Amino acid sequence: QVQLVESGGGLVQAGGSLRLSCAASGSIFSINAMGWYRQAPGKQRELVAHSTSGGSANYADSVKGRFTISMDNAKNTVYLQMNSLKPEDTAVYYCNARIRGRSWARVSDYWGQGTQVTVSS
């Protein structure tokens, strides 16, 4: 069993900053990658940022230059630093991790429970 626990969401004014954290725990042999997705009301879930354990990152065009993803491999934790927030960033943010639970197991996807980010204008 693997659990992803997110924290750091909240209410912030436009132009402000928030930092999301997501810690993975449980049966973990290795983590291939971790990322953040978001889903706004009435919209599909979309990729925000993704990082491999080796540090290769990619971002949605809408957040490039404002958001930074980073991983602490020793802590099995991924962070999302969000600066210059806009009202359109309002959504539930979900953590995703691609984890191998045992050396012989296949890589599986895991999701956090989601954390609300609300940006007021």
Side-chain angles (χ1 to χ4, degrees):
Q1 279 289 67
V2 173
Q3 298 81 39
L4 300 182
V5 178
E6 300 146 339
S7 60
L11 173 64
V12 65
Q13 288 189 332
S17 298
L18 284 174
R19 188 192 194 209
L20 305 183
S21 300
C22 172
S25 63
S27 178
I28 299 172
F29 175 76
S30 63
I31 298 179
N32 285 19
M34 298 184 81
W36 291 93
Y37 290 71
R38 68 187 181 187
Q39 188 166 19
K43 295 188 177 181
Q44 289 188 329
R45 189 174 298 189
E46 64 175 0
L47 173 69
V48 176
H50 174 272
S51 175
T52 67
S53 59
S56 177
N58 63 283
Y59 298 88
D61 288 343
S62 59
V63 307
K64 282 180 181 176
R66 300 188 298 122
F67 291 10
T68 302
I69 189 170
S70 60
M71 281 182 65
D72 184 332
N73 293 329
K75 295 182 179 180
N76 292 336
T77 299
V78 64
Y79 305 95
L80 185 68
Q81 178 65 44
M82 304 185 293
N83 298 328
S84 302
L85 282 161
K86 304 175 180 180
E88 51 263 43
D89 294 318
T90 296
V92 177
Y93 284 68
Y94 295 92
C95 174
N96 168 265
R98 306 214 73 216
I99 294 173
R100 191 185 304 276
R102 293 286 187 267
S103 60
W104 62 85
R106 63 181 178 86
V107 174
S108 297
D109 273 309
Y110 296 89
W111 292 90
Q113 78 283 0
T115 185
Q116 177 71 45
V117 171
T118 302
V119 184
S120 62
S121 57

